[in-house]
Amino acid sequence: MRPVRILIVDDHEAVRRSIRSHLSARVEWSVCGEAADGLEAVEKARKLRPDLVLMDVAMPRMDGVQATKIIRREVPEAEVVLISQNDPTAGRIQAIEIGACDFISKGDLSRDLLSIIDKIVGHRDLKTPSDRNGRVPGAPESVSTVEDPDLKRQNGGGMNGHIHNEPWCGLLDHAAPRDHIVQLYQDEQFLSRAVCRFAVSAINHGEGVILVPTAAHWNALRPRLEAEGVDVKAAQACGQLTVVDADQLLPNFMRNAMPDSPLFLGLAGETIAKARGGDRFTKVRWWGEMVNVLWERGDVAASMGLEDLFHKLAHDHEIAIFCSFLMDNFDGDVHARMLPRLGQNHSHLIPVEDYARLERAVAASLREAVGPVEAGVLEQQLLTRYTGPLDMPRSQAMLLALRDVLPVVANTVLQRSGNLYAAEARG
């Protein structure tokens, strides 16, 4: 069964990123490319031959209406779903008029996107196996297996077959400049898998990568990187991989129990410049746990102050930053206090390892707390109105939205969700 190949078209990167996050919940779907305007969408559709195009309407150079007409004429096998802020009734009429198969309001993406794609896939024969050469029957040979080079890294880029399908993997694979991703973990194996995914993808894509672990975590990460096919010694020798001890670096910029901004930004800037190697590695990623070292010491103000500086670093130096906190996602204080604070200086949240299991746990807990009918109504109303502080799984957004509206119910649902999530893991 071949994956459903999806082209995302929107002139705002934040919207494209949000759509990618929603789509990552389905391993049988693959984002084959992205476009930022109608002209680019037409070019990508001709080249990539997607099964489905998610098309914004209002865009520069060429709008989504004109682009859809061209794509439906030149790439007839590609279905198109219009996405805009327009009134849903008017949007569906417009979709019918130009040959699109459906319409989604941007305000309803989190609620409707997956179900609409399911409906489209169910009505089409997208499961035809490729021929012996890997070519999709009916598609021109020159474009049948093409994937957008900018997104090829999403698939793991040759990690010697050790490819995991957790939804957060795609996010770490294609971490972009100015992304600031935060992971909550309690399982050391989850930490190692995520960090190695981030680092190996960078190396496979010709990017520089900076790792700032504690000595104990580096001793665990190094053999895992080597198992994924990374020659650690060679990567360090050529400058593509920079490893700095977190406990040794931290005191160099701490003053009066707080990070000193000029000292930190100066030291970090020098490290990034060295990692770029005179423009040999124009893209650089940074993962570290100095903020977690401070957090585990109980220095919350210093930890968050350092995260604010990392956020500035990501924007000033155009790098992707990934950090990991030893935090329990099902702890009430974490939800009430820390997640809103993390939303001030991060772009994405990885709250747990298994998003599907979290979805099941939250749904079951909500049904138990308010009843099955009320749960469905409440979920729809909350997610329609809720704007999260950072990009996160739908079920995680539901927990935070519930806390804003019904804090007493939220505590019950959060605790029950944690119990169900853990119980399913134990089998």
Side-chain angles (χ1 to χ4, degrees):
M1 181 182 295
R2 69 181 180 88
V4 178
R5 305 176 71 251
I6 301 172
L7 173 65
I8 302 172
V9 184
D10 196 287
D11 57 330
H12 295 290
E13 183 183 356
V15 175
R16 299 197 303 271
R17 189 165 55 204
S18 176
I19 292 174
R20 283 201 310 266
S21 178
H22 288 306
L23 296 177
S24 68
R26 300 297 185 84
V27 297
E28 68 271 25
W29 299 346
S30 170
V31 176
C32 64
E34 294 183 13
D37 58 60
L39 282 178
E40 188 181 7
V42 172
E43 294 170 1
K44 291 277 179 81
R46 288 168 176 160
K47 178 181 179 182
L48 303 175
R49 318 300 286 199
D51 299 305
L52 178 64
V53 181
L54 301 176
M55 178 75 73
D56 187 20
V57 173
M59 293 182 294
R61 296 210 299 168
M62 178 187 289
D63 65 26
V65 172
Q66 186 62 30
T68 296
K69 292 177 180 178
I70 296 172
I71 290 172
R72 292 297 295 142
R73 184 174 65 248
E74 299 188 10
V75 193
E77 69 271 23
E79 297 283 11
V80 179
V81 175
L82 293 186
I83 300 175
S84 84
Q85 302 282 11
N86 295 340
D87 174 75
T89 301
R92 290 188 180 91
I93 293 173
Q94 185 178 49
I96 293 170
E97 290 175 345
I98 64 174
C101 65
D102 215 327
F103 168 88
I104 309 175
S105 170
K106 285 190 176 180
D108 295 333
L109 277 172
S110 62
R111 184 189 68 192
D112 294 340
L113 179 62
L114 302 189
S115 62
I116 285 179
I117 296 177
D118 272 330
K119 180 179 69 175
I120 294 167
V121 171
H123 290 162
R124 296 194 62 210
D125 181 15
L126 297 179
K127 301 176 182 179
T128 306
S130 303
D131 67 13
R132 287 178 299 174
N133 296 319
R135 182 169 61 87
V136 177
E141 185 171 357
S142 61
V143 297
S144 60
T145 59
V146 174
E147 184 168 327
D148 188 347
D150 293 335
L151 290 173
K152 189 173 182 180
R153 60 189 183 276
Q154 179 175 331
N155 294 324
M159 295 170 66
N160 286 340
H162 298 282
I163 297 175
H164 308 289
N165 291 321
E166 293 90 346
W168 45 263
C169 291
L171 172 63
L172 297 180
D173 284 341
H174 56 73
R178 297 193 173 190
D179 279 353
H180 191 180
I181 305 164
V182 57
Q183 172 198 25
L184 308 187
Y185 77 94
Q186 290 187 292
D187 176 10
E188 295 286 334
Q189 291 300 314
F190 178 29
L191 172 69
S192 294
R193 281 193 289 271
V195 175
C196 287
R197 186 80 184 211
F198 183 75
V200 173
S201 295
I203 290 171
N204 286 339
H205 306 138
E207 302 173 21
V209 60
I210 300 165
L211 300 180
V212 188
T214 60
H217 279 155
W218 176 239
N219 289 336
L221 290 170
R222 178 168 186 152
R224 190 178 187 95
L225 287 170
E226 291 172 341
E228 297 286 5
V230 175
D231 186 333
V232 171
K233 186 177 292 187
Q236 289 181 282
C238 76
Q240 189 175 15
L241 173 63
T242 302
V243 182
V244 182
D245 186 283
D247 290 310
Q248 292 181 12
L249 181 58
L250 194 56
N252 291 331
F253 57 82
M254 294 295 292
R255 297 293 183 270
N256 299 317
M258 289 294 290
D260 181 276
S261 177
L263 281 175
F264 170 75
L265 293 175
L267 287 170
E270 291 174 6
T271 303
I272 293 168
K274 184 177 179 181
R276 285 204 161 105
D279 291 333
R280 281 186 301 141
F281 308 108
T282 55
K283 287 187 177 182
V284 171
R285 304 183 182 198
W286 180 311
W287 173 83
E289 54 182 333
M290 291 186 293
V291 290
N292 187 60
V293 170
L294 293 170
W295 165 258
E296 290 196 65
R297 289 179 187 170
D299 297 334
V300 178
S303 178
M304 291 300 102
L306 185 54
E307 280 290 28
D308 290 337
L309 292 176
F310 268 115
H311 200 58
K312 178 174 173 56
L313 194 73
H315 284 254
D316 290 352
H317 290 269
E318 296 282 339
I319 66 171
I321 291 180
F322 175 37
C323 58
S324 304
F325 278 97
L326 183 61
M327 284 187 189
D328 180 2
N329 183 56
F330 300 104
D331 181 272
D333 285 339
V334 168
H335 261 252
R337 300 177 184 178
M338 292 312 303
L339 291 187
R341 182 64 177 91
L342 292 175
Q344 297 177 17
N345 48 29
H346 291 86
S347 58
H348 299 77
L349 171 66
I350 302 174
V352 294
E353 181 171 12
D354 191 331
Y355 288 6
R357 179 156 38 112
L358 177 65
E359 184 89 30
R360 291 190 294 271
V362 172
S365 300
L366 189 61
R367 287 194 300 269
E368 289 179 14
V370 301
V373 176
E374 292 82 357
V377 174
L378 187 60
E379 180 178 3
Q380 179 178 342
Q381 291 179 344
L382 289 179
L383 291 179
T384 298
R385 300 171 185 172
Y386 180 72
T387 301
L390 68 172
D391 194 281
M392 66 186 78
R394 182 174 180 272
S395 51
Q396 184 73 20
M398 180 64 198
L399 290 172
L400 291 176
L402 192 63
R403 181 167 296 279
D404 286 350
V405 178
L406 297 170
V408 175
V409 175
N411 286 332
T412 301
V413 171
L414 181 64
Q415 182 177 7
R416 180 60 176 156
S417 296
N419 292 339
L420 291 176
Y421 185 87
E424 185 176 337
R426 292 192 297 267

